[in-house]
């Protein structure tokens, strides 16, 4: 795991650099998109580069991590709509190139299996953007999730529903109770995981993810078993790390040719 501690603008630039490299070097790049507030600066930065520097997504495909179940198609917080608003329609993805799990399908198990097949059909995800919940969830893999899980239906914890109530007029009752989410096993198959976390409310989850024992109680800890993970943190999110000085030292002294 590489840990980078910087201000949130620098973090967004670093993540955008990694995505730009992929877009400029791969014939058919596949990007994993996350919702939540953490990736928003990255999407702004990519949009700026698309507008000002001609960075093109026309040859890329994208896959979302998760989707609410039981939310109206036109609800602004339906993750499909969030991704369209925050990134998909701001750049030049080809029609049909941005995929998401179908949370409104009648047969959710079939929709989950179909989504897994689509990811494999695209050649797998090259770079997956991730956030982390305050309880260590990734996508919607709540504590107790199998660390080998695949795309499936999950119940949201009350903690996650309360955390996300801010997107639903502050009313936790409006937050759906179910979702479809890529599993931890699905996420672990992406070639490069780029997780961004900011703010002191993420500090404990970040500490557990990087330095705690691997446990389904903190699903993000399974990232310790992935060969290529970049964790982008602001000072507040990094504030509980035991080896913070070492991560800073390692990043400041890494060879210049070594990208994220
Ligand atoms: C939601 C999403 C996750 C996201 C998490 C943290 O539960 N399903 O993908 O990482 O929230 O969100 P935020 O970045 O807003 O803190």
């Amino acid at each position: 795991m590489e840990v980078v501690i910087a201000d949130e603008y620098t973090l967004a630039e670093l993540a955008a650099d990694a995505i730009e490299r992929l877009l400029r070097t791969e014939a058919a790049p596949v990007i994993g998109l996350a919702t939540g507030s953490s990736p928003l600066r990255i999407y702004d930065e990519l949009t700026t580069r698309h507008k000002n520097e001609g960075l093109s997504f026309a040859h890329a495909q994208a896959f979302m991590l998760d989707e609410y179940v039981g939310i109206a198609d036109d609800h602004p917080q339906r993750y499909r709509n969030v991704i369209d608003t925050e990134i998909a329609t701001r750049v030049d993805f080809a029609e049909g190139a941005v995929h998401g799990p179908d949370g409104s399908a009648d047969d959710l198990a079939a929709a989950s299996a179909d989504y897994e097949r689509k990811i494999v059909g695209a050649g797998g995800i090259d770079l997956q953007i991730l956030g982390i919940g305050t309880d260590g969830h990734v996508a919607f893999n709540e504590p107790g999730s199998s660390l080998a899980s695949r795309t499936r239906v999950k119940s949201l914890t009350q903690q996650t529903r309360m955390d996300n109530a801010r997107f639903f007029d502050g009313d936790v009752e409006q937050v759906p109770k179910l979702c479809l989410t890529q599993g931890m096993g699905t996420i672990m198959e992406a070639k490069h995981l780029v997780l961004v976390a900011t703010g002191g409310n993420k500090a404990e989850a970040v500490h557990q993810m990087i330095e705690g024992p691997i446990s389904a109680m903190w699903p993000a800890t399974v990232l310790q078993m992935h060969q290529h993970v970049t964790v982008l943190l602001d000072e507040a999110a990094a504030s509980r790390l035991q080896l913070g000085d070492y991560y800073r030292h390692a990043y400041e002294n890494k060879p210049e040719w070594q990208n994220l």
Side-chain angles (χ1 to χ4, degrees):
M1 254 188 210
E2 179 170 34
V3 179
V4 183
I5 303 165
D7 66 85
E8 51 190 321
Y9 296 95
T10 306
L11 300 177
E13 281 174 17
L14 289 170
D17 287 348
I19 294 165
E20 175 162 0
R21 264 194 302 278
L22 199 61
L23 289 167
R24 293 204 190 272
T25 56
E26 293 293 316
V30 181
I31 302 165
L33 300 172
T35 45
S37 47
S38 305
L40 294 181
R41 285 198 201 288
I42 302 172
Y43 298 152
D44 287 346
E45 179 63 24
L46 289 171
T47 303
T48 303
R49 293 182 192 195
H50 167 65
K51 294 216 167 87
N52 298 347
E53 296 159 30
L55 181 64
S56 178
F57 294 72
H59 59 308
Q61 290 198 71
F63 285 86
M64 294 165 48
L65 279 175
D66 46 10
E67 181 58 278
Y68 289 117
V69 169
I71 192 167
D73 280 359
D74 60 353
H75 195 294
Q77 284 306 319
R78 183 182 172 229
Y79 277 178
R80 177 71 219 201
N81 298 333
V82 172
I83 286 292
D84 279 348
T85 307
E86 300 297 348
I87 180 74
T89 59
R90 298 166 79 194
V91 296
D92 61 343
F93 277 112
E95 178 106 27
V98 179
H99 314 274
D102 183 1
S104 57
D106 291 332
D107 185 341
L108 292 170
S112 301
D114 183 50
Y115 197 57
E116 290 272 335
R117 275 191 298 273
K118 263 195 200 152
I119 294 173
V120 172
I125 292 166
D126 292 306
L127 185 153
Q128 175 66 58
I129 301 170
L130 295 172
I132 185 169
T134 54
D135 58 3
H137 75 253
V138 174
F140 271 137
N141 292 283
E142 298 282 25
S145 289
S146 159
L147 300 182
S149 49
R150 312 302 308 188
T151 303
R152 69 213 182 289
V153 184
K154 281 296 285 183
S155 287
L156 302 180
T157 61
Q158 194 58 9
Q159 179 65 54
T160 297
R161 293 181 70 228
M162 289 186 310
D163 286 348
N164 288 2
R166 68 191 193 279
F167 299 118
F168 291 83
D169 305 323
D171 178 8
V172 71
E173 286 314 311
Q174 288 182 39
V175 183
K177 295 191 170 79
L178 295 176
C179 65
L180 278 192
T181 181
Q182 284 190 32
M184 291 312 301
T186 320
I187 292 166
M188 288 289 284
E189 285 172 8
K191 295 183 190 86
H192 183 191
L193 303 178
V194 178
L195 186 144
V196 59
T198 56
N201 61 336
K202 301 291 174 72
E204 180 62 18
V206 163
H207 160 61
Q208 292 291 339
M209 170 179 68
I210 299 171
E211 298 173 332
I214 297 176
S215 162
M217 281 305 287
W218 295 92
T221 56
V222 76
L223 269 56
Q224 293 174 28
M225 298 295 291
H226 194 283
Q227 292 189 358
H228 191 185
V229 182
T230 306
V231 183
L232 302 172
L233 305 173
D234 72 355
E235 292 288 344
S239 59
R240 283 197 207 158
L241 291 174
Q242 279 171 238
L243 300 182
D245 289 345
Y246 171 64
Y247 309 134
R248 285 189 179 85
H249 170 83
Y251 185 65
E252 280 160 18
N253 291 287
K254 71 188 274 191
E256 258 180 50
W257 50 265
Q258 205 177 28
N259 295 315
L260 287 185

